[in-house]
Amino acid sequence: MLVMGVVFYLESDLPSEAKFLLEDFRLAVNNAIRAGLQARVTSRNALCKIAYRDFRERHPRMYAQHLVSAFEVAGSVLKNHRKRVRKGVTCRIPYVKRLMMKAENQAYKLDRKSGVIDLPIKAGCHVELRFTVSQYHRKYLDDMSLSLGSLTVLPDRVIVAFRKDAPKPYTPDSVISLDTNERSLDGVFVEGDVAKAVKAEFPDIAIIQQRHHDRRKRLQKKKAHDRRTSRNLCRREGTREHRRVDYRLHQVANSVLKFAEERRSVIVLEDLKGFKSKRSKELNRRLSMWPRRKLHQIIEYKAQWRGIPVVKVDPRNSSRTCPMCGRIQYSRMGAEFVCNCGWRLNRHINASINLLQTAISRGMAGGLWFNPGAFQHDVMMILYEPAMAARSEPNGTSGIVGVT
Ligand SMILES: [Zn+2]
């Protein structure tokens, strides 16, 4: 089952009854966390057993379903906590600060025509939540093959989980292989006997990261005497950076997927799992690795949702191998890969050809074939460039639903 979280922004302020509910919910979560820590349990049912009656007495009219989902949220917080403790990371006792609540799909009603949500608060009290519904939202609301999952309520917005069974990926007619770099995806698109270079450029992401990084450093220096302010300002910077980068990553992923879907391609990506960041260079690494992994995550998830096949291959030596003669070059290279056999090509595109050949040799490319000799050196197809980032729909974002 696949889940896509769709964000709806509230038309007006959250009704006060709902605000109280959020606060009650947070209280329930934090109480359950405390009870769970004491009793050393993390499952929803176990938490229910030990904390339900207590909380029921204190909030006799609260909707019982909400209580149960509070235990579920507490359970996932506890599980994360336990994981960190086991890893040996020192951490404080978990505590949910953010105002939020989660309602399971039986515990709210969404009118898919009007986009109005009916949320029960307690016995005899419901509130209606109204949202700005854009074309983007319509796509999910009108698609009746999607069922509704949980609802997450935040002070200014809600996230509705739409669910469906994973569609079976199509049999590919072509293949697009992409090498992931700090500022671009570079690759090769093969259809029949024709192979062309493709590129999706996102130089602005590295620029945004660098700018926010510098700004954070400056803030830390300036507010060195006031750690609390410094921390808050830095966190705000972090959130902003995250949003701006995320937005661009989604754009890049969307254009790659659109291209692949139209040509019924299988997408080949490098498996980034093997890369482990070293502590000493952690910051540098983080600057460059995080958005790449995130981009892959977005591409993979959206592809699964749309039934586009994606394969991931081991990138070892992909940037050093000559696809023509198979020789591995250990000397340093410039922007161009040059081999003694006469083969020369842009280093990144060369890497993507090697990824493709790995995929083919493992039988992962849907039986498609590729001959490096057929590569057209003079053609470049642009999948994405920053000029395409103009916002078309300000109200919609979608993403992977995770446990917060
Ligand atoms: Zn060669």
Side-chain angles (χ1 to χ4, degrees):
M1 187 69 96
L2 298 175
V3 182
M4 185 75 83
V6 177
V7 179
F8 290 78
Y9 284 93
L10 282 163
E11 253 178 14
S12 54
D13 275 353
L14 203 61
S16 55
E17 294 92 342
K19 270 185 203 153
F20 288 133
L21 176 62
L22 289 189
E23 277 168 19
D24 277 353
F25 191 87
R26 181 171 63 181
L27 202 61
V29 171
N30 285 327
N31 280 339
I33 290 175
R34 211 168 306 155
L37 278 175
Q38 265 170 10
R40 295 174 157 273
V41 294
T42 57
S43 79
R44 186 186 74 180
N45 287 338
L47 286 170
C48 235
K49 236 180 231 166
I50 55 172
Y52 186 84
R53 192 178 297 160
D54 242 18
F55 207 83
R56 201 80 202 130
E57 274 166 16
R58 257 176 279 164
H59 300 260
R61 292 178 67 205
M62 190 174 171
Y63 195 55
Q65 289 269 5
H66 295 337
L67 259 183
V68 176
S69 57
F71 294 138
E72 185 154 348
V73 173
S76 64
V77 172
L78 285 167
K79 272 175 201 142
N80 280 333
H81 177 69
R82 187 175 60 183
K83 219 185 282 168
R84 254 171 296 168
V85 170
R86 278 189 186 156
K87 262 193 197 160
V89 186
T90 46
C91 47
R92 58 189 175 81
I93 288 166
Y95 178 81
V96 178
K97 261 193 201 153
R98 203 158 70 126
L99 266 188
M100 63 83 73
M101 76 156 287
K102 211 169 164 189
E104 289 311 315
N105 60 350
Q106 314 93 323
Y108 73 97
K109 270 196 204 106
L110 167 64
D111 180 359
R112 292 175 82 151
K113 269 215 180 78
S114 58
V116 175
I117 286 180
D118 181 333
L119 183 69
I121 305 283
K122 52 192 174 191
C125 174
H126 288 229
V127 289
E128 275 196 346
L129 307 174
R130 293 176 179 278
F131 308 97
T132 341
V133 176
S134 68
Q135 237 176 354
Y136 163 83
H137 296 113
R138 273 274 146 248
K139 206 169 65 190
Y140 291 94
L141 289 171
D142 294 345
D143 187 346
M144 286 304 164
S145 67
L146 304 178
S147 61
L148 292 174
S150 66
L151 169 80
T152 308
V153 185
L154 300 165
D156 62 331
R157 61 188 191 276
V158 304
I159 302 158
V160 179
F162 287 90
R163 303 187 297 191
K164 72 169 173 187
D165 293 320
K168 199 171 171 284
Y170 52 69
T171 317
D173 296 333
S174 58
V175 54
I176 173 168
S177 170
L178 296 167
D179 178 49
T180 315
N181 299 297
E182 204 180 333
R183 288 158 187 265
S184 58
L185 290 171
D186 305 87
V188 57
F189 169 66
V190 185
E191 192 172 32
D193 312 326
V194 187
K196 294 169 185 164
V198 291
K199 197 179 185 80
E201 275 183 296
F202 40 86
D204 37 346
I205 288 178
I207 297 170
I208 290 169
Q209 284 193 296
Q210 189 59 50
R211 195 184 300 147
H212 282 267
H213 173 79
D214 293 349
R215 215 179 275 168
R216 267 198 301 274
K217 278 266 116 80
R218 216 162 45 230
L219 276 170
Q220 271 164 1
K221 216 183 223 169
K222 214 168 158 188
K223 299 281 176 198
H225 57 284
D226 185 353
R227 300 242 329 255
R228 192 175 58 95
T229 312
S230 150
R231 206 166 47 222
N232 285 340
L233 287 172
C234 282
R235 190 178 305 141
R236 199 177 64 185
E237 274 305 308
T239 316
R240 272 190 197 155
E241 173 189 346
H242 223 89
R243 281 206 194 128
R244 300 179 67 195
V245 171
D246 240 34
Y247 171 72
R248 282 163 179 84
L249 292 177
H250 277 276
Q251 294 265 313
V252 175
N254 284 340
S255 26
V256 169
L257 290 170
K258 184 164 172 265
F259 182 93
E261 197 170 37
E262 281 169 5
R263 291 159 183 85
R264 293 181 73 81
S265 317
V266 49
I267 301 173
V268 179
L269 295 173
E270 71 203 277
D271 194 347
L272 293 174
K273 244 189 226 141
F275 289 86
K276 284 236 168 93
S277 62
K278 280 186 200 140
R279 277 277 159 88
S280 55
K281 290 181 183 170
E282 203 196 299
L283 208 62
N284 276 331
R285 289 282 191 144
R286 203 167 57 205
L287 270 177
S288 62
M289 278 314 291
W290 168 73
R292 289 196 240 176
R293 284 220 182 100
K294 178 92 199 201
L295 180 58
H296 278 198
Q297 223 179 16
I298 297 172
I299 290 178
E300 280 176 85
Y301 197 81
K302 289 190 171 181
Q304 224 185 351
W305 183 266
R306 287 156 72 166
I308 303 169
V310 174
V311 298
K312 290 175 86 175
V313 297
D314 184 357
R316 216 173 309 156
N317 287 333
S318 65
S319 56
R320 284 199 280 261
T321 310
C322 169
M324 277 311 252
C325 65
R327 201 174 294 152
I328 297 177
Q329 296 251 11
Y330 287 101
S331 53
R332 278 180 66 93
M333 265 168 295
E336 202 168 52
F337 178 91
V338 185
C339 180
N340 295 339
C341 73
W343 175 261
R344 56 194 309 146
L345 187 63
N346 172 299
R347 184 163 54 103
H348 299 318
I349 295 171
N350 189 66
S352 77
I353 290 182
N354 286 316
L355 293 177
L356 174 58
Q357 293 206 313
T358 311
I360 288 174
S361 69
R362 308 235 165 109
M364 291 152 81
L368 296 166
W369 192 244
F370 168 61
N371 167 20
F375 184 77
Q376 299 183 351
H377 286 260
D378 48 345
V379 196
M380 170 73 78
M381 299 168 93
I382 301 291
L383 301 183
Y384 179 83
E385 54 190 359
M388 289 153 87
R391 266 175 192 261
S392 50
E393 268 202 274
N395 298 328
T397 43
S398 61
I400 301 151
V401 175
V403 183
T404 43

